[in-house]
Structures are given as structure tokens and as C-alpha cells.
């Protein structure tokens, strides 16, 4: 266990559904991240929050909406997704995210999302 | 050119041998280098990181960094079947926030 938890672990949803992914870190970190991992492709950074402020939105479609109410919790709200959005969604956290370039990210177990 | 390149493999090695995994990166401003292991269906797990040129050892793992050649490698000594996984190289740079660029990973298969 890395101290980063994600729920649900598996999610199947239709294209008209609205659902949310939850991430919680118990490490006292100040930065949290959402990544998408599709088959045979590198991890794609989606969003970064540092001290609850969004510092990166990596050209992610608006059907993905992040929320970071405090430094321990991160949500990804999903609506009107497409089948190509099916992937493993990973949450990560790091100590400061402050751009030192040496901050280590720890990953949660991921949510396997299938969009029908 | 991809920002972080890895041979996709599979790299097949016999049990007990040394597995050598390689990674090249394009951004000369990169300052931190990470190796993650990912088992099938699981999330990435940090193995080790390296910031300075040279070698860094941790148990059976050795990371090697050559910034002049923009090359980082991971050696696994006495490879075990349990080491069979995909190994992800990630590169970070200073400034703004801690953004990591990941390679697509190299699949390692250790056979008995």
C-alpha cells in the first residue's frame, strides 16, 4: 500500500451517465495528480493540483472535470464520456509539487473505467 | 521524437541473469529520473530514483544516469520470475510544478 487510495476500483458506465472517481492520500502530501493509462500508450498526465490549486490542465476534454476540496482528496467527475475514454485512471500524490524537479510521485491502485 | 523512449520489449532473460533496461530522453533540462515497476492490471510502483550522473544501487537494482548522453538505465541483478513486469522510465524537470514525462515502458519476462 502506498498510502493513496482510489474508489471505485472498477466502473462501467454508459455514455449518458455521470459518475465520479475519488482519490484520497494519507501521506500528508501537498500535490495530487490524475493520469490516464490506455493500452500500449504512455501514462498521460491529465490534471495537477498543488495546495488545492489547479496548476495543469493538459488539454483534457471538458467531459472530465476535476475537483480538489483539500490537499488529501481529489475527485474526477465524468459526464457524457466516449468509448475511447475507457482506460485505467490513476491518481498520484507527491510531497510538494513545487517544481524542484526531484519530487517523487506515489500512485494509487487506479480505477478501471469501461464506457459502453 | 518522443520525449522519453524505451524499447517496448519483451526483454526475456533467464532466472539469475542480469536484466538491463534502457531509457533515453530528449529534454536536456531534465533533472530527475525515476523507475517504476507495473505488474499487469496494477498501478506503477516506485523502484528508485536518481538525480546525479553515475550509479545508484538499492539491493538488486542499480540505476545508471548519463546526462551528457541523455540516457538512464536500470540493472536488475539475480533476476527472478517475480521481476516479470513492465518497467516505466519517468523524467522530471524543475520549474513550475513537478511534471513527469513517462515512457511507454519495457516489458520484462524472467523465465525459470
Amino acid at each position: 500500500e502506498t498510502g493513496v487510495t482510489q474508489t471505485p476500483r472498477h466502473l462501467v458506465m454508459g455514455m449518458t451517465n455521470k459518475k465520479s472517481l475519488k482519490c484520497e492520500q494519507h501521506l500528508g502530501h501537498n500535490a495530487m495528480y490524475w493520469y490516464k493509462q490506455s493500452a500500449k500508450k504512455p501514462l498521460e498526465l491529465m490534471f495537477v493540483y498543488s495546495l488545492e490549486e489547479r496548476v495543469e490542465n493538459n488539454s483534457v476534454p471538458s467531459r472530465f472535470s476535476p475537483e480538489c476540496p483539500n490537499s488529501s482528496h481529489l475527485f474526477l467527475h465524468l459526464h457524457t464520456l466516449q468509448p475511447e475514454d475507457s482506460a485505467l485512471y490513476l491518481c498520484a500524490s507527491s510531497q510538494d509539487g513545487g517544481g524542484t524537479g526531484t519530487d517523487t510521485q506515489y500512485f494509487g491502485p487506479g480505477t478501471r473505467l469501461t464506457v459502453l | 521524437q518522443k520525449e522519453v523512449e524505451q524499447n517496448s520489449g519483451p526483454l526475456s532473460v533467464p532466472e539469475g541473469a542480469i536484466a538491463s533496461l534502457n531509457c533515453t530522453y530528449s529534454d536536456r533540462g531534465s533533472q530527475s529520473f525515476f523507475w517504476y515497476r507495473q505488474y499487469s492490471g496494477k498501478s506503477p510502483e516506485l523502484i528508485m530514483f536518481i538525480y546525479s550522473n553515475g550509479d545508484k544501487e538499492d539491493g538488486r537494482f542499480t540505476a545508471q544516469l548519463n546526462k551528457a548522453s541523455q540516457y538512464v538505465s536500470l540493472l536488475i541483478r539475480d533476476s527472478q520470475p517475480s521481476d516479470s513486469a513492465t518497467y516505466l522510465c519517468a523524467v522530471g524537470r524543475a520549474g513550475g510544478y513537478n511534471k513527469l514525462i513517462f515512457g511507454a515502458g519495457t516489458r520484462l519476462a524472467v523465465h525459470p
Side-chain angles (χ1 to χ4, degrees):
Chain A
E1 294 295 325
T2 62
V4 182
T5 59
Q6 290 186 244
T7 55
R9 299 290 303 275
H10 300 272
L11 178 62
V12 179
M13 58 187 291
M15 289 191 286
T16 58
N17 292 157
K18 289 184 180 181
K19 297 287 184 182
S20 296
L21 309 184
K22 178 183 177 182
C23 176
E24 183 173 0
Q25 58 94 2
H26 310 273
L27 301 169
H29 288 168
N30 292 317
M32 297 186 78
Y33 310 77
W34 279 118
Y35 286 89
K36 176 183 178 183
Q37 188 175 37
S38 304
K40 308 294 184 185
K41 294 176 69 175
L43 279 165
E44 300 173 55
L45 179 65
M46 300 176 72
F47 301 104
V48 181
Y49 278 83
S50 179
L51 295 172
E52 301 150 46
E53 179 183 347
R54 189 192 310 180
V55 295
E56 173 82 1
N57 177 347
N58 203 23
S59 302
V60 179
S62 60
R63 57 185 183 269
F64 296 91
S65 176
E67 178 189 3
C68 187
N70 55 63
S71 60
S72 298
H73 294 85
L74 184 65
F75 296 88
L76 187 63
H77 304 299
L78 316 171
H79 64 98
T80 59
L81 294 191
Q82 305 298 310
E84 59 265 29
D85 296 322
S86 299
L88 180 67
Y89 288 84
L90 292 160
C91 173
S93 72
S94 68
Q95 181 62 49
D96 59 32
T100 62
T102 59
D103 206 20
T104 300
Q105 294 182 25
Y106 297 91
F107 286 86
T111 296
R112 175 68 63 185
L113 173 67
T114 302
V115 181
L116 301 177
Chain B
Q1 182 188 10
K2 295 178 184 176
E3 292 186 79
V4 178
E5 293 209 54
Q6 295 181 256
N7 188 318
S8 61
L11 173 65
S12 182
V13 300
E15 184 174 357
I18 296 175
S20 178
L21 304 160
N22 305 316
C23 173
T24 58
Y25 60 95
S26 61
D27 184 355
R28 285 196 171 275
S30 300
Q31 293 193 330
S32 55
F33 307 87
F34 301 84
W35 283 100
Y36 287 85
R37 177 176 63 198
Q38 187 173 26
Y39 293 111
S40 181
K42 303 294 186 182
S43 64
E45 169 193 11
L46 180 70
I47 296 176
M48 62 191 305
F49 55 84
I50 186 168
Y51 304 145
S52 304
N53 276 329
D55 295 0
K56 180 181 179 182
E57 187 175 320
D58 184 359
R60 295 188 296 114
F61 300 97
T62 299
Q64 299 175 316
L65 175 62
N66 184 326
K67 289 187 178 180
S69 299
Q70 295 175 246
Y71 176 92
V72 58
S73 65
L74 179 71
L75 302 178
I76 306 175
R77 290 182 299 281
D78 188 24
S79 295
Q80 302 297 310
S82 59
D83 294 324
S84 299
T86 297
Y87 289 79
L88 306 177
C89 172
V91 175
R93 53 185 177 224
Y97 65 93
N98 182 34
K99 180 174 182 177
L100 290 185
I101 306 297
F102 282 83
T106 297
R107 189 157 63 91
L108 173 66
V110 181
H111 53 86

